Amino acid sequence: MLNKPKKLDIVLYPDKRLRQPSVKINNPLDESIQQLIADMKLTMQNANGIGLAAPQVGKNINLILVDDGSGPKVFINPVIIYSSRSQNIFEEGCLSIPEVFGQVMRPEKVWLFYRDENNKFHFKISSGLEARILQHEVDHLRGVLFIDKTLKITQGTEKLELYESNAK
Ligand code: NI
């Protein structure tokens, strides 16, 4: 039996946990994983987020949530196997780097394999906002943040400098 979902603390940049690579989930049906999924859904919705990766709640495992407006979707052990040559630029933010936004260039379309929360295996071709969020979240699983890739910070340069100075 799962517990009532609870809101989790979001790990904030420059916490080192955001830089650690995540590991594969062996059993998505494990109760601790199912509880984490429920807790992460609540946490993301509560923060008005459109994506959340497990490292952002302190768990370095291959689990992400994406909500492109059609409701939260769960991606376990996602692997992007193809990225389109065509790219676009979009403004991104991150719940772990509050009030900072920047332009990031990414492929428009990706093909990926993943498992859902019922351990069902999927192949998906994704484009649009979903592809954008997916790539941002999959980056989190490798310890990569949008500020590593940004062409230009469009909002919150001072905030970013403040976060970085606090770390020293
Ligand atoms: Ni993020």
Side-chain angles (χ1 to χ4, degrees), residues 49-119:
I50 58 174
L52 187 65
Q56 294 182 273
V57 294
K59 305 280 182 196
N60 288 99
I61 56 174
N62 290 343
L63 165 64
I64 62 176
L65 300 188
V66 172
D67 188 351
D68 66 352
S70 57
K73 285 199 197 81
V74 178
F75 296 82
I76 295 166
N77 300 332
V79 180
I80 293 174
I81 57 156
Y82 169 81
S83 303
S84 65
R85 209 172 271 275
S86 60
Q87 303 198 321
N88 56 20
I89 296 171
F90 193 79
E91 187 175 72
E92 296 189 14
C94 182
L95 292 176
S96 292
I97 318 172
E99 296 171 72
V100 177
F101 297 89
Q103 291 173 350
V104 183
M105 172 128 71
R106 295 188 191 270
E108 284 179 12
K109 197 184 281 187
V110 291
W111 298 10
L112 70 152
F113 289 123
Y114 67 97
R115 284 182 188 276
D116 66 18
E117 64 267 55
N118 301 312
N119 201 21

Side-chain angles (χ1 to χ4, degrees), residues 17 19-28 33 36 53-55 58-64 75-79 138-143:
R17 286 172 290 174
R19 294 306 195 178
Q20 284 164 9
S22 288
V23 298
K24 193 175 168 224
I25 294 173
N26 289 317
N27 183 11
I33 300 294
L36 180 62
K59 305 280 182 196
N60 288 99
I61 56 174
N62 290 343
L63 165 64
I64 62 176
F75 296 82
I76 295 166
N77 300 332
V79 180
V138 167
D139 273 353
H140 272 297
L141 303 181
R142 302 184 296 120

Side-chain angles (χ1 to χ4, degrees), residues 6-10 35-36 39-40 42-43 52 57:
K6 61 183 179 301
K7 209 177 77 168
L8 303 170
D9 290 334
I10 293 178
Q35 184 70 53
L36 180 62
D39 293 346
M40 281 176 62
L42 180 72
T43 304
L52 187 65
V57 294

